[in-house]
Amino acid sequence: MNTTDGSQNGMCEARRRYGDIIDMPHHDPVGRQRMSVAMRAAQFAPFAALTGHSEAIEETRRHTEEKVEHSADNADDFYADIERDV
């Protein structure tokens, strides 16, 4: 069978390169059960170490957008805030 998309050639190439192992039986673990498909999917799911990361970024963004404009009119309040924080 010859197809126009070259898939037959791909199969022949795979058979040529991996013919010594392609028909071997699949390895089954000895002494333990095979992992379920759901457990395998969970194993390769995105790493959850960054849980809360998006919330932290949003909080940082919120703080950076709260811009206070200082002028000569509110300079006394500004310096009072600095003195209080120190």
Side-chain angles (χ1 to χ4, degrees), residues 11-81:
M11 288 302 292
C12 290
E13 177 66 15
R15 181 69 60 185
R16 182 186 68 74
R17 292 179 70 183
Y18 305 109
D20 57 332
I21 62 169
I22 206 161
D23 291 321
M24 292 182 76
H26 188 328
H27 171 73
D28 287 319
V30 178
R32 59 191 158 111
Q33 292 182 342
R34 292 190 67 154
M35 188 180 292
S36 70
V37 173
M39 290 298 292
R40 286 179 53 83
Q43 179 180 5
F44 294 104
F47 190 64
L50 296 178
T51 301
H53 181 68
S54 60
E55 291 84 3
I57 290 197
E58 179 62 26
E59 182 68 11
T60 301
R61 184 197 60 76
R62 189 178 68 79
H63 283 289
T64 57
E65 287 182 357
E66 293 176 0
K67 192 182 235 182
V68 177
E69 294 295 326
H70 298 289
S71 66
D73 295 334
N74 65 5
D76 292 334
D77 295 335
F78 175 72
Y79 288 116
D81 288 344

